[in-house]
Amino acid sequence: MHRSAPSHDIDESKVAVTPPKQQAAGVTAVTIALERAVQEMGVLRTARTLTRVNQRHGFDCPGCAWPEPSDHRRPAEFCENGAKAVAEEATLRTVDPEFFARHSIAELSDKSGYWLGQQGRLTHPMVLRPGEDHYTPIAWDEAYRLIAEELRALDSPDEALFYTSGRTANETAFLYQLLVRSYGTNNLPDCSNMCHESSGTALSASIGIGKGSVTIDDFSAAEVIVVAGQNPGTNHPRMLSALQKAKEHGARVIAVNPLPETGLLGFRDPQTMRGLTTGIDIADDFLQIRLGGDMALFQGLAKLLFEAEDRAPGTVVDRAFVDAHTAGFAEYEKQMRAVDLGTVLEATGLTGEDLDRTAELLAASKSTIFCWAMGLTQQRHGVATIEEATNLLLMRGMIGKPGAGVCPVRGHSNVQGDRTMGIWEKMPESFLAALDSEFGITSPRKHGYDTVDAIRALTEGRAKVFFGMGGNFVSATPDTAVTEAALRQCSLTVQVSTKLNRSHVVHGRTALILPTLGRTDRDLSPAGVKQQVSVEDSMSMVHLSTGRLNPVSPELRSEVAIVCELAQELLGPDHSVPWARFRDDYDAIRDSISRVVPGCADYNTKVRGRNGFQLPHPPRDAREFRTSTGKANFAVNELQWLPVPEGRLILQTLRSHDQYNTTIYGLDDRYRGIHNGRRVVLVNPEDIAEFGFTEGDLVDLISEWTDGVERKVTGFRLVAYPTPRGNAAAYYPETNPLVPLNHVAERSNTPVSKAVTIRLEPHVHIA
């Protein structure tokens, strides 16, 4: 059985390959950022936006969730990709009703995601009615009635799915989950399910809270910073400035990654004299690990640390911390002492010298931070891997002290805030009880569907309506053919969006597009009062965001307004939640948040402070661990890793440098030396030769999994690249069709996008 990806409209014959860059950012990044901004926004609009990105009285970048400095903010407090994200949102191009009149669904379906995104901002609510082949305009009130009628017609509220992306601000997220729970379901899948769900699952079990424990200031106090399974140069570029500052204070940076990513090797800060000339090396040590080998690395390091403790008792294991604050240490120590280092070397592809050097650094460090991203979370054993990283910190007492702790680096602005505000299918009873008390509702207690289970429910006919609050569900999810078929079975699909994407052309029997304001847009109440929203970054800092640009169309409505007006239509005018008041006054929303969400007391006052306010984190603040044992728990896991089958490769999906999540800014990946195209697969040159291919050949990628289905994407150019032997890399969403829906991380249900077994076959062009 075969499943193939849809067609695309990018001419891959124009792909050019040059040597990878050795340093990130610099003058080139500034030049490209300004060129893109002016191209999309014009000179005046560019000046009005970029000077306000991540400033105290400006707006939060719609890109990554890296925090702002706590002290001095520079005039350009954004990166190249942040500028691209702003330009994409604040573009002067528009997609109006005339556009949809010119382009049928069939025509739009044949366009690439890049082409769709380049058309501009959506300007009017649009509807695709059953049997029609063009979207047509619809009045807002009629759109709300249509949605409400479909939802009321369902046999159960659990037949509806309410997806959320990280773009959604705290106020919207709080109201959205309130609407969904008032309606009667906990079906709140979100983008976190596909990225850092493994982090939250692991950390909740280990330390009692699913968030990172460090602040931006901890980086300057750290002696060792481990960056594992993360490419900050592309995905979180402002992190490079924090790493540079850490190195200036004496920190040593250890990069653990399958690819030699430019941002981890060298950095030129364009806002310093040094950055204009030579730059700085970021990684002092680069451990080029095999895909899926991180868990083995962490267990091997633990064994070496115990052996170092034997040689110098009392110098490696922090016995005072372990005895006072942890549980399960004896079982953990017993298992780690039994680890076979030969297996560790085979699993990781590293040398004994690599392990010894790293263990020595960890043993000597008085303050260590572990950072990670998708390279760890999107593995079958992702939760266990993060637990093992946390174990290393716990045995050294590296939680709840300056310059030390866990740092999962979230990839989308406010994805962490959405979870804090209740966007989760399994919110605890304490939150639901507080919500019910505040609003006089009865929230459902039955757990809802996460993203993978939502697709399964659609496929099996257990869900029939899909509502997307932002994002691009079709392109973000795994097993594209399955996901698209599932959405096409819906009676209704609704997308609240700023720009066109593939989720608008993969639709249910009826489909709605509801255009909304972005972060950069001015948001005025019906009385003309300027509204402000708030967001939470990766380090639990909550601050205000204020858009300043005139919206491209008077038809745009804020996400808050859309939620409130839909709620009034769906739940009726006598509902106990004051929806009209919330729509008109965001301070009123925050007042309710202060009484429902832990750590948010006095929200309106604290969020207006100089840097906003930081949410409490018991392990960081007081070495308090709210776990089942009342202590930090050492996890005990059997070693898992990924042997490469004969004649096969293990593929990781990743972003290009001209990309943010599923949004494609352009067709270049400058740091990796890929230009004018995206259908490329990066393979070790020795593997290319062994398989009988030549660099530049066109190949098809076929993934293999236990269900016997062969998933296929076609016409990828082979690029010789210094990957570990047996490993390969290619961009998503083009390779999402290769990721099986049911191949998920244990315990977190996160798609395993970093460990796809594939084989290569020669591509045969069919005219």
Side-chain angles (χ1 to χ4, degrees):
M1 181 177 180
H2 291 269
R3 292 182 182 146
S4 298
S7 62
H8 58 96
D9 61 359
I10 299 171
D11 185 0
E12 302 294 346
S13 66
K14 297 180 180 178
V15 172
V17 180
T18 60
K21 298 293 185 182
Q22 297 303 305
Q23 289 191 321
V27 175
T28 301
V30 175
T31 302
I32 290 175
L34 291 177
E35 286 178 349
R36 295 285 182 87
V38 172
Q39 180 184 3
E40 293 286 346
M41 301 184 288
V43 174
L44 181 59
R45 200 170 172 90
T46 294
R48 293 180 62 193
T49 53
L50 295 187
T51 55
R52 294 191 175 105
V53 182
N54 294 326
Q55 300 299 330
R56 289 188 174 88
H57 299 290
F59 62 90
D60 196 69
C61 177
C64 80
W66 189 256
E68 286 71 59
S70 60
D71 46 15
H72 174 68
R73 299 193 190 188
R74 298 187 289 187
E77 194 58 61
F78 58 88
C79 65
E80 174 190 344
N81 279 356
K84 292 175 185 175
V86 170
E88 284 278 319
E89 180 177 288
T91 181
L92 293 170
R93 300 186 185 119
T94 57
V95 174
D96 56 16
E98 288 72 24
F99 172 92
F100 288 106
R102 292 194 305 271
H103 299 286
S104 69
I105 288 295
E107 181 184 348
L108 294 175
S109 296
D110 282 336
K111 300 296 186 181
S112 68
Y114 172 61
W115 186 93
L116 294 172
Q118 289 298 300
Q119 303 313 299
R121 288 289 298 271
L122 295 159
T123 63
H124 290 70
M126 306 295 294
V127 62
L128 181 69
R129 300 187 186 278
E132 295 185 351
D133 56 6
H134 286 260
Y135 276 100
T136 55
I138 185 173
W140 278 102
D141 289 348
E142 185 182 354
Y144 296 141
R145 283 195 298 272
L146 192 159
I147 298 168
E149 289 169 2
E150 286 281 349
L151 292 175
R152 285 194 288 261
L154 297 176
D155 292 334
S156 164
D158 289 332
E159 292 183 337
L161 306 170
F162 297 88
Y163 178 73
T164 320
S165 85
R167 186 195 71 211
T168 304
N170 283 347
E171 292 73 17
T172 306
F174 183 76
L175 294 185
Y176 189 54
Q177 62 83 30
L178 177 59
L179 163 63
V180 172
R181 292 188 165 104
S182 295
Y183 171 61
T185 184
N186 282 311
N187 287 345
L188 285 159
D190 74 327
C191 54
S192 285
N193 299 147
M194 294 179 284
C195 55
H196 271 289
E197 198 67 52
S198 294
S199 300
T201 302
L203 293 177
S204 294
S206 292
I207 64 172
I209 183 170
K211 299 180 181 183
S213 66
V214 301
T215 68
I216 190 70
D217 293 332
D218 283 317
F219 277 73
S220 295
E223 292 188 4
V224 171
I225 301 172
V226 178
V227 182
Q230 182 195 357
N231 175 19
T234 287
N235 300 334
H236 319 91
R238 287 189 301 125
M239 181 179 178
L240 298 179
S241 297
L243 292 175
Q244 174 176 293
K245 186 175 181 181
K247 288 176 67 67
E248 291 169 351
H249 284 81
R252 190 175 183 97
V253 176
I254 303 171
V256 183
N257 208 61
L259 299 182
E261 300 287 19
T262 302
L264 288 171
L265 302 180
F267 172 53
R268 289 188 175 188
D269 186 341
Q271 299 189 70
T272 66
M273 288 301 298
R274 182 175 184 176
L276 296 175
T277 54
T278 60
I280 184 174
D281 295 336
I282 292 294
D284 299 283
D285 296 274
F286 172 44
L287 304 183
Q288 187 169 20
I289 197 165
R290 289 174 178 161
L291 283 168
D294 304 271
M295 181 181 180
L297 170 64
F298 299 147
Q299 289 199 352
L301 291 172
K303 180 183 179 70
L304 293 177
L305 288 176
F306 279 118
E307 292 177 352
E309 172 72 6
D310 292 341
R311 293 190 296 271
T315 64
V316 177
V317 176
D318 187 336
R319 290 287 178 181
F321 176 86
V322 168
D323 293 344
H325 298 292
T326 72
F329 179 73
E331 295 85 351
Y332 171 69
E333 179 179 6
K334 179 181 178 181
Q335 187 178 43
M336 291 305 99
R337 288 186 179 276
V339 168
D340 177 55
L341 290 179
T343 301
V344 170
L345 296 180
E346 182 181 1
T348 61
L350 302 174
T351 66
E353 292 76 14
D354 291 330
L355 293 181
D356 290 340
R357 184 176 65 254
T358 305
E360 290 171 4
L361 289 170
L362 294 179
S365 173
K366 294 181 175 61
S367 50
T368 302
I369 294 174
F370 270 39
C371 307
W372 69 86
M374 306 300 95
L376 269 59
T377 66
Q378 293 179 332
Q379 300 281 353
R380 175 73 175 166
H381 49 280
V383 174
T385 298
I386 295 162
E387 287 179 334
E388 294 296 347
T390 307
N391 285 342
L392 287 174
L393 294 174
L394 291 175
M395 71 183 292
R396 298 278 295 125
M398 296 294 174
I399 300 286
K401 61 183 291 187
V406 291
C407 183
V409 184
R410 310 284 175 173
H412 197 169
S413 174
N414 211 47
V415 66
Q416 184 163 298
D418 286 354
R419 182 61 57 89
T420 300
M421 292 296 120
I423 300 293
W424 193 31
E425 69 279 0
K426 296 180 286 192
M427 287 300 289
E429 172 61 28
S430 57
F431 180 94
L432 299 178
L435 195 71
D436 292 354
S437 175
E438 173 72 9
F439 295 109
I441 64 172
T442 302
S443 299
R445 264 52 178 184
K446 175 186 173 184
H447 288 174
Y449 299 133
D450 64 12
T451 295
V452 167
D453 284 336
I455 299 170
R456 291 170 179 158
L458 288 171
T459 300
E460 297 165 6
R462 292 181 283 114
K464 299 173 183 176
V465 170
F466 178 91
F467 192 109
M469 181 59 71
N472 181 0
F473 189 80
V474 167
S475 295
T477 47
D479 220 339
T480 306
V482 172
T483 299
E484 292 192 354
L487 284 168
R488 288 187 171 110
Q489 292 179 195
C490 288
S491 61
L492 174 67
T493 51
V494 183
Q495 306 290 344
V496 179
S497 306
T498 57
K499 300 187 74 178
L500 197 62
N501 62 51
R502 184 154 180 82
S503 293
H504 300 122
V505 298
V506 178
H507 55 81
R509 186 168 61 250
T510 302
L512 284 167
I513 299 173
L514 304 182
T516 188
L517 300 176
R519 291 270 177 88
T520 58
D521 294 322
R522 179 182 289 111
D523 182 1
L524 299 178
S525 72
V529 177
K530 180 175 64 179
Q531 305 272 30
Q532 296 175 292
V533 296
S534 58
V535 296
E536 178 186 348
D537 63 33
S538 265
M539 296 179 185
S540 302
M541 290 297 300
V542 181
H543 56 273
L544 290 172
S545 175
T546 310
R548 301 296 182 96
L549 297 179
N550 291 324
V552 296
S553 165
E555 287 290 321
L556 301 188
R557 297 197 179 177
S558 72
E559 289 183 332
V560 167
I562 292 170
V563 170
C564 291
E565 290 164 4
L566 173 59
Q568 289 177 296
E569 180 65 38
L570 175 64
L571 304 174
D574 298 325
H575 192 253
S576 58
V577 177
W579 297 107
R581 182 184 175 206
F582 285 160
R583 180 197 61 194
D584 297 345
D585 182 4
Y586 295 0
D587 276 353
I589 306 171
R590 289 186 281 268
D591 283 340
S592 283
I593 291 173
S594 71
R595 294 186 288 269
V596 173
V597 180
C600 289
D602 201 18
Y603 197 125
N604 271 311
T605 299
K606 291 191 298 185
V607 80
R608 287 175 166 85
R610 177 175 168 78
N611 291 312
F613 70 97
Q614 188 166 47
L615 290 168
H617 190 286
R620 178 198 66 217
D621 301 336
R623 287 189 162 177
E624 178 183 334
F625 302 96
R626 299 175 182 176
T627 66
S628 57
T629 64
K631 295 185 175 183
N633 294 315
F634 280 94
V636 178
N637 299 297
E638 292 297 326
L639 177 58
Q640 298 182 53
W641 58 289
L642 295 173
V644 182
E646 183 71 25
R648 304 298 188 262
L649 296 169
I650 304 297
L651 174 78
Q652 65 168 324
T653 70
L654 42 67
R655 302 178 190 171
S656 79
H657 189 63
D658 247 355
Q659 175 178 358
Y660 185 72
N661 292 343
T662 61
T663 302
I664 313 301
Y665 301 139
L667 302 180
D668 294 342
D669 191 351
R670 184 172 78 254
Y671 292 164
R672 298 191 184 106
I674 311 298
H675 309 274
N676 303 320
R678 293 180 50 82
R679 291 180 91 81
V680 297
V681 56
L682 312 182
V683 180
N684 188 287
E686 294 181 37
D687 286 328
I688 292 176
E690 182 177 306
F691 294 154
F693 293 107
T694 301
E695 182 180 11
D697 286 349
L698 291 182
V699 296
D700 297 340
L701 281 56
I702 300 96
S703 72
E704 302 173 347
W705 197 57
T706 57
D707 62 1
V709 175
E710 292 190 338
R711 297 161 175 85
K712 183 177 183 180
V713 293
T714 62
F716 278 64
R717 174 173 168 166
L718 273 174
V719 175
Y721 207 80
T723 67
R725 287 295 306 273
N727 289 174
Y731 304 129
Y732 77 83
E734 289 83 356
T735 51
N736 284 358
L738 301 176
V739 183
L741 178 66
N742 293 322
H743 190 195
V744 295
E746 296 167 343
R747 293 161 56 194
S748 70
N749 218 28
T750 294
V752 180
S753 299
K754 296 295 186 287
V756 183
T757 301
I758 64 167
R759 69 176 189 271
L760 306 180
E761 293 184 352
H763 175 65
V764 178
H765 178 71
I766 300 175

